[in-house]
Amino acid sequence: QVQLVESGGGLVQAGGSLRLSCAASGRSFSNYAMGWFRQAPGKEREFVAAISPKGGNTYYADSVKGRFTISRDNAKNTMYLQMNSLKPEDTAVYYCAVRPSAIPMSNKNDYNYWGQGTQVTVSS
């Protein structure tokens, strides 16, 4: 059974940093694109970042570009999101997702597998 488990969320002050992890089990995703999304209360789930299977191509939402870095370690079947210079508007539940394709996309409907999410709260 495929399972994605996020970790690393928490409460941090504005300007601080967090590193999220997404551990995959049940199968290898080394040939698939992966992504991070987030959902704030009362808002739609939105794209944050995506990465190609070997990690050579990365894509970011404009709102996080220059502050967040997506990466993956296929040997560990794990993806990461390093979040720096956090802002209160980054507060949300963060989800990792896998797309059964080598092409990263920003549309959440293109992703088949999802984790349960991890809460990130940034205080001002």
Side-chain angles (χ1 to χ4, degrees):
Q1 183 178 353
V2 173
Q3 190 174 19
L4 300 174
V5 179
E6 302 95 336
S7 61
L11 174 64
V12 64
Q13 287 188 331
S17 298
L18 283 174
R19 188 194 196 204
L20 305 184
S21 298
C22 171
S25 61
R27 65 172 297 171
S28 171
F29 293 114
S30 59
N31 293 322
Y32 292 161
M34 299 182 73
W36 287 98
F37 292 77
R38 66 187 182 187
Q39 188 166 16
K43 294 189 176 181
E44 293 277 328
R45 189 170 299 189
E46 65 175 7
F47 170 75
V48 175
I51 188 166
S52 59
K54 306 306 180 189
N57 294 302
T58 57
Y59 305 90
Y60 298 92
D62 288 342
S63 59
V64 307
K65 203 171 294 183
R67 300 188 297 121
F68 290 11
T69 302
I70 188 172
S71 62
R72 64 192 294 169
D73 184 339
N74 288 334
K76 296 181 179 179
N77 228 18
T78 302
M79 178 178 64
Y80 305 97
L81 185 68
Q82 178 66 45
M83 305 187 295
N84 298 330
S85 302
L86 282 162
K87 305 175 181 180
E89 50 263 44
D90 294 319
T91 294
V93 177
Y94 283 70
Y95 299 89
C96 67
V98 174
R99 180 169 189 260
S101 165
I103 303 173
M105 301 291 284
S106 61
N107 190 329
K108 61 182 182 292
N109 296 320
D110 290 319
Y111 290 78
N112 284 29
Y113 302 105
W114 291 86
Q116 83 291 345
T118 185
Q119 176 70 47
V120 171
T121 303
V122 184
S123 63
S124 56

